[in-house]
Amino acid sequence: MAANEVSHTELTALEQSLCDALAPLATALRARASGLPEDRMWAEDPVEVSLSVLAGWKVVDSAVARLTARAARTAGSYGASYEQLGAAWGITRQGARKKWPDAVGRPAAAAERGTVELFGGTAELFLESSSGSWRWTGRGADGTDGAADGDSPCGSMEEAAAYAGAFLKEHAKGHAG
């Protein structure tokens, strides 16, 4: 048995513990929904009774989702990767990233800088902390320097890369524009 597999005995004990923990919540929800005394509220319409229990499990499900996300963020804060989170949950790295998008922080340097090398030129992309906008500076293959227009900030690294790429294309060596 793998380390993260659960035996039948362990699963049975877990399910019993969860049912025991749910009982007070289900009873409170049933009491509010039915308005009946405790000795009669469970002897009513089976559909209504089972819906009260289902409503209780919904509360548990939401709590488990919050606790799961907290555990993923905690693991991520200690350096776990999305690949590791996915393996622990039995899903892919991409699935883990989608399920817990804020669990793993990107290194600040990687998140706030980038480089574009095209047409023989190079441009540096950076996040301007004062405005929160993306900017670029570059040098084309023909030796021309350029930078993002200060009047039109870029909303993303990709947008800054597109403008930088257009500049580098325009200033490629031998470009007849």
Side-chain angles (χ1 to χ4, degrees):
M1 178 181 294
N4 62 350
E5 289 184 39
V6 180
S7 71
H8 177 72
T9 303
E10 291 167 329
L11 185 58
T12 301
L14 173 64
E15 288 175 355
Q16 184 59 54
S17 295
L18 288 171
C19 286
D20 292 346
L22 178 70
L25 176 62
T27 298
L29 293 173
R30 181 73 191 131
R32 283 197 293 276
S34 70
L36 296 171
E38 193 169 335
D39 63 331
R40 289 192 16 229
M41 68 182 175
W42 294 110
E44 291 295 308
D45 176 22
V47 170
E48 293 301 321
V49 168
S50 61
L51 289 174
S52 293
V53 173
L54 180 62
W57 283 118
K58 171 65 175 141
V59 173
V60 171
D61 185 56
S62 296
V64 168
R66 282 190 306 277
L67 293 171
T68 301
R70 183 185 305 163
R73 284 191 308 272
T74 299
S77 75
Y78 285 115
S81 68
Y82 278 114
E83 184 175 351
Q84 291 170 308
L85 294 175
W89 198 252
I91 57 178
T92 64
R93 173 184 55 80
Q94 294 89 344
R97 185 184 307 271
K98 185 175 180 181
K99 185 167 189 63
W100 306 296
D102 62 342
V104 175
R106 296 188 325 192
E112 298 176 0
R113 298 197 88 58
T115 304
V116 175
E117 295 179 13
L118 292 171
F119 308 105
T122 302
E124 297 296 322
L125 313 172
F126 59 95
L127 184 62
E128 188 176 68
S129 58
S130 62
S131 68
S133 301
W134 282 92
R135 305 280 187 197
W136 62 269
T137 59
R139 175 169 285 198
D142 66 0
T144 304
D145 290 327
D149 178 0
D151 294 332
S152 42
C154 299
S156 68
M157 181 184 223
E158 292 77 14
E159 184 180 0
Y163 281 110
F167 168 82
L168 295 174
K169 181 178 181 183
E170 184 176 329
H171 295 282
K173 217 170 210 164
H175 175 36

